[in-house]
């Protein structure tokens, strides 16, 4: 801007300078011209008077370099000329000034020389005898004058140019200085040029608009950040080239990156080919899905193209943790397969025995054994179906009526109901401890105590013992079932709470186990927000403790 102002001022200065020069010279020239014509007129009048009196005698006496005097007869013949031989000169009748003088008494004209640098001015007067006296003088033309004064003019122009450059530069700086010093943060507080007021007012208005828009934008960004930060799903926003625009904390954890990846290509976040392919598909087709494992968990990635005004502006990636769902699906599949198998085995036994009986292939003395077998298998089916029903009830997760239940009498009741089984195995069951009331579902709490005691008897050695202890400590009620049985090998300990998991299948079946007892215990304990602790040593015994929070 400074340069532009400088150039403008300089241009104006130079133009003014050139115009002034031409004007001044023009004025001087016209003044000089006027003077010369005036002088020529005076000289003509004097010469005319002298010629009228003395004739050519006067003319012969004239010795002037400045003026040329020509005496012309009324027919145009040159009678006398101070600078040339009159006899040699052509007829002057057609000369403008001569013709004019003959007609009106006086005449004048001017003619340029061949080079245009000289101009000759003529002034003529008719004498009383009809002849014409003409005076002429030469003078330099304007061009000649300019050429002649070229050096001084050039000097003046250079000096003036330097001066105007300096002046223009200072002026330009002084004009721009207040503009540079403008405080655009507070446009209305500036005291610069009055002409800038409308502009500053507009800037102030726009500033306020921008501030409001920025605040709105910031608020929206904050809202977006808060929403995405609280999301369990991973969210990644990508631009049209696949660079990360935003990545929420869940996605950062999932991909094992930090917020520093913003601005980088998504390839630096996830290198999997399936993901790159899904991203490309989303960009071209609008949507794509890919299921993949990251960090030991299973995720579903949904990728969708984002468009604005019909143009692709990026993509959004949403990651859903499907681990629990996948596990549940797998468990359900396994459970269904297991249930079918578990139901089929006793049914096949029953059908087989019944067929033999039907076909009369069983000897009368073996009949009770076969019928007993059918009854035992049917009993197993009933127990199994009962367990499945209980488990599915727990899976439903519905609200069941609760009450205050004391674990001590509950444990005593379970032990009492298992007395026959214990006696059959020669196992002694003792229940000890103090009252431990918990708020819960009586039926489920009884299932826990019953299943734990049942296992402690089933997997005990003949003549072994089961010690059931009930107590309350540190705000929780606990029930411990400790046996002197076969114990559980360490590699199986983490799995015995799974559905249909048995350490020794034949032992479990022989003792009427369904493989669901501990699953029911696990679910029932979880229903009461309790915990299970297992300690077991092969050949020595097992101790299972369940703890329930007590109401304060
Ligand atoms: P089951 O109906 O087979 O007893 P459970 O779910 O109750 O099924 O138990 C799962 C498996 O855990 C059993 O098959 C058994 O191998 C093992 N188990 C459970 N309790 C004991 C225990 N007290 N001592 C030794 N093994 C046990």
């Amino acid at each position: 801007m400074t340069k532009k102002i400088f150039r403008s001022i300089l241009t104006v200065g130079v133009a003014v300078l050139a115009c002034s020069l031409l004007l001044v010279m023009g004025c001087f020239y016209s003044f000089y011209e006027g003077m010369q014509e005036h002088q020529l007129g005076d000289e003509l009048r004097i010469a005319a008077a002298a010629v009228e009196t003395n004739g050519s005698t006067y003319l012969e006496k004239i010795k002037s370099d400045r003026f040329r005097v020509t005496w012309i007869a009324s027919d145009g013949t040159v009678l006398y000329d101070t600078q040339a031989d009159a006899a040699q000169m052509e007829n002057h009748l057609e000369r403008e000034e001569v013709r004019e003088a003959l007609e009106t008494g006086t005449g004048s004209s001017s003619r340029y020389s061949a080079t245009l640098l000289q101009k000759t001015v003529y002034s003529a007067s008719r004498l009383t005898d009809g002849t014409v006296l003409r005076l002429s003088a030469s003078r330099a033309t304007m061009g000649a004058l300019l050429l002649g004064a070229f050096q001084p003019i050039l000097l003046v122009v250079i000096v003036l140019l330097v001066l105007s450059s300096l002046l223009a530069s200072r002026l330009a700086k002084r004009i721009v200085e207040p503009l540079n010093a403008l405080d655009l943060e507070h446009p209305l507080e500036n005291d610069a040029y009055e002409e800038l007021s409308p502009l500053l007012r507009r800037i102030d208005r726009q500033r306020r608009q921008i501030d409001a828009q920025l605040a709105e934008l910031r608020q929206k960004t904050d809202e977006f950040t808060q929403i995405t930060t609280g999301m369990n799903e991973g969210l990644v926003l990508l631009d049209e080239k696949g660079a990360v625009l935003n990545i929420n904390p869940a996605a950062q954890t999932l991909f094992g990156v930090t917020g520093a990846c913003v601005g980088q290509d998504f390839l630096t976040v996830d290198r999997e080919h399936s993901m790159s392919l899904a991203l490309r598909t989303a960009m071209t087709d609008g949507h794509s899905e890919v299921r993949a494992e990251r960090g030991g968990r299973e995720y579903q990635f949904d990728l969708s193209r984002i468009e604005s005004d019909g143009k692709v502006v990026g993509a959004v990636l949403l990651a859903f943790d499907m681990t629990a769902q996948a596990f549940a699906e797998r468990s359900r599949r396994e459970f269904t397969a297991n249930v079918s198998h578990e139901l089929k085995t006793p049914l096949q036994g029953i059908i087989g025995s019944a067929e033999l009986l039907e076909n009369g292939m069983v000897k009368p003395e073996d009949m009770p054994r076969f019928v007993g077998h059918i009854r035992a298998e049917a009993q197993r089916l009933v127990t199994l179906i009962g367990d499945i029903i209980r488990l599915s009830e727990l899976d439903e997760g519905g609200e069941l009526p609760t009450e205050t239940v004391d674990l001590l009498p509950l444990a005593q009741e379970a032990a009492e109901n298992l007395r026959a089984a214990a006696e059959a195995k020669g196992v002694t069951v003792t229940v000890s401890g103090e009252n431990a009331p918990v708020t819960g579902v009586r039926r489920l709490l009884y299932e826990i105590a019953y299943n734990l005691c049942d296992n402690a008897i089933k997997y005990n050695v003949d003549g072994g013992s089961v010690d059931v202890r009930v107590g309350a400590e540190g705000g929780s009620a606990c029930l411990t079932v400790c046996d002197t049985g076969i114990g559980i090998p360490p590699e199986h300990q983490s799995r015995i709470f799974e559905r249909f998991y048995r350490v020794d299948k034949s032992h479990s079946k022989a003792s009427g186990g369904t493989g669901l007892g501990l699953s029911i215990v696990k679910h029932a304990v979880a229903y009461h927000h309790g915990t299970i602790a297992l300690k077991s040593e092969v050949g020595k015994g097992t101790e299972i403790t369940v703890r329930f929070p007590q109401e304060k």
Side-chain angles (χ1 to χ4, degrees):
M1 186 177 179
T2 318
K3 275 186 191 160
K4 202 167 178 184
I5 294 176
F6 169 78
R7 273 202 300 271
S8 306
I9 296 175
L10 196 65
T11 313
V12 170
V14 168
V16 168
L17 178 69
C19 289
S20 316
L21 204 71
L22 286 174
L23 207 70
V24 167
M25 287 198 69
C27 284
F28 272 123
Y29 188 75
S30 76
F31 174 72
Y32 158 73
E33 208 175 40
M35 282 258 298
Q36 201 188 34
E37 275 166 22
H38 196 69
Q39 205 177 357
L40 201 67
D42 284 351
E43 296 284 347
L44 180 65
R45 269 189 297 280
I46 294 165
V51 170
E52 292 249 34
T53 334
N54 301 317
S56 62
T57 334
Y58 166 74
L59 292 173
E60 278 157 19
K61 285 180 191 158
I62 291 172
K63 288 193 174 51
S64 171
D65 294 335
R66 282 206 301 137
F67 299 108
R68 179 180 181 180
V69 187
T70 314
W71 193 19
I72 305 145
S74 56
D75 62 353
T77 318
V78 179
L79 300 171
Y80 189 84
D81 189 272
T82 53
Q83 282 178 12
D85 182 6
Q88 305 290 317
M89 288 171 74
E90 58 180 26
N91 190 293
H92 273 39
L93 193 62
E94 286 309 311
R95 301 288 165 95
E96 191 187 339
E97 69 282 357
V98 175
R99 212 176 52 241
E100 212 176 291
L102 283 172
E103 282 167 11
T104 63
T106 56
S108 63
S109 76
S110 61
R111 282 189 285 280
Y112 287 99
S113 69
T115 58
L116 287 178
L117 291 175
Q118 285 270 324
K119 191 177 183 186
T120 310
V121 188
Y122 301 92
S123 193
S125 178
R126 192 180 62 203
L127 303 183
T128 42
D129 59 357
T131 59
V132 172
L133 190 69
R134 186 185 80 173
L135 244 74
S136 64
S138 292
R139 67 161 181 256
T141 58
M142 187 78 163
L145 268 180
L146 279 173
L147 270 177
F150 181 72
Q151 270 188 350
I153 287 173
L154 190 71
L155 196 72
V156 168
V157 166
I158 289 171
V159 170
L160 287 178
L161 266 178
V162 171
L163 276 177
S164 28
S165 301
L166 285 172
L167 215 68
S169 147
R170 287 190 65 179
L171 260 171
K173 272 188 197 146
R174 278 177 68 177
I175 291 171
V176 172
E177 220 165 51
L179 295 178
N180 285 336
L182 279 179
D183 177 9
L184 294 180
E185 290 292 312
H186 310 95
L188 297 185
E189 288 171 23
N190 288 293
D191 189 20
Y193 303 112
E194 206 179 308
E195 292 79 0
L196 286 179
S197 293
L199 176 72
L200 291 173
R201 271 201 298 277
R202 215 163 55 225
I203 291 175
D204 183 60
R205 213 168 38 243
Q206 282 178 351
R207 248 193 73 86
R208 272 185 278 131
Q209 274 172 5
I210 291 168
D211 281 352
Q213 281 167 356
L214 268 178
E216 200 183 329
L217 201 71
R218 217 169 286 133
Q219 192 193 337
K220 280 189 177 152
T221 313
D222 284 352
E223 278 170 14
F224 178 76
T225 312
Q226 267 175 19
I227 292 168
T228 55
T229 304
M231 271 169 69
N232 288 331
E233 292 80 20
L235 176 98
V236 186
L237 288 179
L238 305 167
D239 70 8
E240 76 283 7
K241 288 188 186 120
V244 179
L245 293 174
N246 191 294
I247 179 163
N248 76 341
Q252 288 177 24
T253 317
L254 189 167
F255 292 113
V257 293
T258 62
C261 67
V262 171
Q264 291 175 10
D265 197 281
F266 186 63
L267 267 178
T268 60
V269 174
D270 194 285
R271 291 208 149 270
E272 283 282 318
H273 177 66
S274 58
M275 189 68 89
S276 312
L277 204 71
L279 183 59
R280 264 208 302 278
T281 314
M283 287 292 197
T284 48
D285 299 352
H287 184 81
S288 70
E289 286 174 12
V290 62
R291 209 156 169 159
E293 203 196 293
R294 296 286 181 282
R297 300 190 71 80
E298 202 165 326
Y299 290 95
Q300 158 133 349
F301 298 99
D302 278 16
L303 293 110
S304 302
R305 185 174 64 193
I306 312 171
E307 290 177 25
S308 174
D309 292 334
K311 264 176 63 188
V312 178
V313 292
V316 60
L317 178 148
L318 266 169
F320 301 95
D321 190 342
M322 305 300 280
T323 317
Q325 196 187 328
F327 179 74
E329 273 169 22
R330 218 169 21 246
S331 301
R332 212 173 8 254
R333 271 199 306 276
E334 276 173 20
F335 184 66
T336 314
N338 279 328
V339 165
S340 318
H341 178 75
E342 295 291 332
L343 288 173
K344 222 168 118 188
T345 320
L347 277 172
Q348 272 171 345
I350 292 170
I351 292 167
S353 300
E355 270 176 5
L356 288 174
L357 284 170
E358 195 181 27
N359 297 335
M361 291 172 78
V362 181
K363 287 187 213 149
E365 62 268 29
D366 290 333
M367 277 259 230
R369 194 162 59 84
F370 273 82
V371 173
H373 181 69
I374 290 173
R375 196 198 55 77
E377 290 295 308
Q379 182 57 51
R380 260 185 73 192
L381 274 176
V382 171
T383 316
L384 184 67
I385 290 166
D387 279 355
I388 291 169
I389 290 170
R390 271 188 286 281
L391 254 183
S392 57
E393 272 172 9
L394 283 164
D395 279 346
E396 289 293 312
E399 281 290 310
L400 297 167
T402 57
E403 59 189 292
T404 304
V405 184
D406 191 343
L407 294 183
L408 186 62
L410 201 79
Q412 282 164 343
E413 189 188 336
E416 184 55 34
N417 288 342
L418 285 162
R419 200 147 55 97
E423 275 170 6
K425 232 176 162 238
V427 173
T428 341
V429 182
T430 49
V431 182
S432 61
E434 53 181 1
N435 293 89
V438 287
T439 306
V441 184
R442 169 175 284 280
R443 188 169 56 79
L444 295 183
L445 291 168
Y446 176 78
E447 290 277 347
I448 295 167
Y450 184 90
N451 278 321
L452 291 178
C453 290
D454 185 31
N455 282 351
I457 297 164
K458 272 195 303 192
Y459 303 107
N460 218 316
V461 288
D462 287 343
S465 66
V466 174
D467 185 13
V468 184
R469 291 190 300 272
V470 179
E473 54 182 51
S476 56
C478 64
L479 167 83
T480 304
V481 179
C482 184
D483 64 60
T484 54
I486 56 171
I488 305 159
E491 66 272 23
H492 294 285
Q493 288 182 10
S494 61
R495 302 203 59 190
I496 53 166
F497 293 94
E498 289 174 18
R499 294 170 189 199
F500 296 110
Y501 191 85
R502 295 144 166 141
V503 176
D504 181 348
K505 211 163 185 163
S506 53
H507 188 162
S508 164
K509 283 195 173 168
S511 51
T514 59
L516 293 173
L518 285 183
S519 299
I520 293 170
V521 170
K522 187 176 112 177
H523 275 76
V525 170
Y527 187 87
H528 291 90
H529 308 291
T531 57
I532 306 175
L534 165 77
K535 269 193 259 170
S536 185
E537 212 175 311
V538 176
K540 282 201 171 168
T542 304
E543 183 185 292
I544 297 179
T545 305
V546 289
R547 283 192 179 78
F548 304 100
Q550 281 181 310
E551 276 188 29
K552 284 181 189 139

